[in-house]
Amino acid sequence: DGAIRFENVRFGYDPAREILKGVSFEVPPGKSVAIVGPSGAGKSTISRLLFRFYDVNGGKITIDGQDISAVTQESVRAAIGIVPQDTVLFNDTIAYNIRYGRTDASEEEVVRAAELAQIAGFIEQLPGGFASMVGERGLKLSGGEKQRVAIARTILKAPPILVLDEATSALDTHTEQEIQSALDLVSKNRTTLTIAHRLSTIINSDEILVLKAGEIVERGSHRELLAKS
Ligand code: ADP
Ligand code: ADP
């Protein structure tokens, strides 16, 4: 549930320089759409607009038919789950970090989410990297492990809409595959917009949009785009 629709969206951080030049697409409920394209094309800008970090200069963005400019930023963000590339964790247990965003969750639900994200082994420990944190429960998490904490949080929150912004990942292949399988699990049958930087991750997308200099220049399934290239 939770369809996303961009209708002829125009936007520039600076009014004199348009970054998105009339972008239209739809992510139907439960489907998965990926945006690919060169660096600077405007991919991350699309996700920032979806989160209402900025308002569009033209056109509109709707979620479930509702113009997002007409609702509060908080309610827009509450409907969307994000698994960002670089997760900032609170200086509290991994379990606390997973529960953040759904404080009503039961212990069982937290453990289940941690299991799915493959971090169940250390949820009572503290994430490392904090100046104040020198206790023996401290744990130095790798980038991949932090990302799995974010995935567990998203599994628990089960938002109607998921945005995956892959940015540049420095994960080793094994970790990447593990994270990918956890992400596949979260995004299954969930309306998902992936800002893709790695082609390996978008094979299962229902539609791929190719964005260049703020315009969608091609769209189709993975197979259709391969046939054209
Ligand atoms: P992509 O995600 O495809 O690499 P972005 O959406 O991050 O592209 O950026 C698109 C363009 O917008 C780039 O030219 C970038 O320099 C510019 N841009 C991004 N963020 C800002 C900002 N906060 N202020 C001004 N320009 C920005
Ligand atoms: P919450 O749990 O606060 O309702 P989320 O868990 O969905 O919200 O997102 C956590 C926070 O991440 C958001 O409130 C927002 O400040 C931040 N965020 C949202 N989108 C992005 C983005 N594209 N890049 C970086 N941070 C983001």
Side-chain angles (χ1 to χ4, degrees), residues 4 20 23 59 66 68 78 92 111 126 146 152 154 159 170 172 175-176 187 222:
I4 303 169
L20 298 180
V23 168
Q66 172 136 51
I68 65 167
D92 203 321
V111 170
L126 295 167
K146 276 208 260 179
T154 305
D172 62 73
T175 308
E176 187 181 316
S187 59
H222 194 256

Side-chain angles (χ1 to χ4, degrees), residues 13 17 19 38-45 48 54 197:
Y13 296 93
R17 185 171 162 243
I19 301 291
S39 173
K43 302 184 295 296
S44 297
T45 300
R48 287 179 207 129
Y54 303 92
H197 298 260

Side-chain angles (χ1 to χ4, degrees), residues 185-204:
L185 215 137
V186 198
S187 59
K188 197 166 179 1
N189 300 323
R190 198 180 301 283
T191 309
T192 305
L193 182 65
T194 302
I195 310 298
H197 298 260
R198 290 169 290 164
L199 288 176
S200 60
T201 59
I202 59 169
I203 293 170
N204 296 323

Side-chain angles (χ1 to χ4, degrees), residues 47-48 51 53 77-78 80-82 84 100-101 153 157 165:
S47 80
R48 287 179 207 129
F51 278 98
F53 286 145
R77 292 185 193 173
I80 304 176
I82 182 167
Y100 175 79
R153 183 186 289 169
K157 191 179 169 191
D165 191 342

